């Protein structure tokens, strides 16, 4: 199958893809806790940091079309770029991620409800800025902390990466029931071998 020219597809196209080609691998690159909260039936949870760690194996074993999903599309786009750079020709990203999937009323498997990583980043960044601005009333240099957070968020937007998000993803809260990376990689390998 030729490489896709636009790796992002909308929810209706993704649903049609899954209906027309049930062998499409659905790889969810969110944290295990986010995956546990809500995921597409049959999806394989392989957090973004594990995509990095196992890039060559995924490319060698995938064998066909992969639909990448995260919460809003940013992490899935990062994974898609890495996989394409490593030679995987047919990876597609669900535009808008699980937010769009759920908003469209598409079916999901639900588990224990937790905050998404993006929401956690907004909470932590906002709280640090608020506390540092309030603290600057008594200790003026504290305002620089707010400036550093602003600079970090600007860099995150420009580079489409988020250091704070990567740190928060490692907290026990975001590990959920856990992601067995070997099981996920084996499912990718088996699905690729079946194609």
């Amino acid at each position: 199958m030729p490489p896709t020219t636009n790796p992002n597809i909308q929810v209706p196209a993704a649903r049609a893809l899954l209906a027309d080609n049930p062998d499409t691998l659905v790889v969810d690159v969110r944290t295990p806790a986010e995956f546990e909260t809500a995921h597409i039936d049959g999806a394989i949870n392989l957090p973004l940091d594990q995509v990095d760690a196992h890039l060559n194996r995924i490319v060698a074993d995938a064998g066909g079309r992969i639909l990448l999903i995260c919460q809003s599309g940013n992490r899935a786009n990062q994974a898609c770029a890495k996989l394409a750079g490593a030679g995987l020709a047919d990876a597609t990203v669900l535009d808008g991620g699980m937010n769009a999937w759920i908003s469209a009323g598409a079916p999901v498997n639900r588990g224990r409800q937790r905050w998404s990583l993006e929401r956690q980043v907004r909470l932590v960044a906002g709280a640090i800025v608020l506390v540092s601005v309030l603290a600057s009333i008594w200790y003026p240099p504290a305002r620089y902390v707010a400036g550093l957070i602003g600079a970090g968020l600007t860099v995150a937007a420009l580079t489409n990466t988020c250091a704070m998000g990567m740190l928060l993803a490692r907290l026990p809260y975001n590990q959920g029931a856990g992601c067995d990376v070997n099981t996920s990689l084996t499912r990718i390998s088996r699905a690729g071998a079946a194609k």
Side-chain angles (χ1 to χ4, degrees):
M1 196 175 270
T4 56
T5 54
N6 179 3
N8 290 19
I9 61 173
Q10 302 292 319
V11 172
R15 292 183 78 178
L17 170 68
L18 295 175
D20 295 342
N21 185 0
D23 292 333
T24 299
L25 285 172
V26 179
V27 179
D28 192 320
V29 297
R30 296 176 300 155
T31 66
E34 289 174 300
F35 182 80
E36 182 182 313
T37 297
H39 62 271
I40 296 171
D41 189 40
I44 299 168
N45 183 218
L46 191 64
L48 183 59
D49 63 334
Q50 296 302 317
V51 171
D52 290 339
H54 302 284
L55 192 58
N56 293 331
R57 182 173 173 188
I58 296 166
V59 171
D61 291 350
R65 179 156 235 176
I66 292 180
L67 176 62
L68 296 162
I69 298 173
C70 66
Q71 194 65 36
S72 64
N74 292 335
R75 287 175 278 175
N77 277 314
Q78 290 175 41
C80 187
K82 291 172 186 181
L83 291 167
L88 185 64
D90 205 12
T92 305
V93 174
L94 177 63
D95 197 34
M98 284 302 292
N99 292 338
W101 185 267
I102 292 169
S103 292
V108 295
N109 291 343
R110 293 195 182 272
R112 180 175 168 213
Q113 298 301 298
R114 298 174 189 229
W115 282 18
S116 70
L117 199 56
E118 286 88 358
R119 186 175 181 190
Q120 293 174 51
V121 168
R122 290 191 303 265
L123 173 71
V124 172
I128 292 171
V129 169
L130 177 64
V131 169
S132 62
V133 168
L134 292 175
S136 71
I137 295 170
W138 297 279
Y139 183 68
R143 71 182 182 270
Y144 296 117
V145 174
L148 288 173
I149 295 296
L153 292 172
T154 301
V155 169
L158 293 173
T159 62
N160 201 25
T161 61
C162 183
M164 185 181 295
M166 288 185 272
L167 290 172
L168 290 172
R170 295 193 170 141
L171 292 175
Y173 174 83
N174 288 314
Q175 299 311 306
C179 172
D180 184 348
V181 174
N182 287 327
T183 299
S184 294
L185 292 170
T186 300
R187 284 184 61 198
I188 290 171
S189 177
R190 285 186 187 144
K195 292 180 183 179

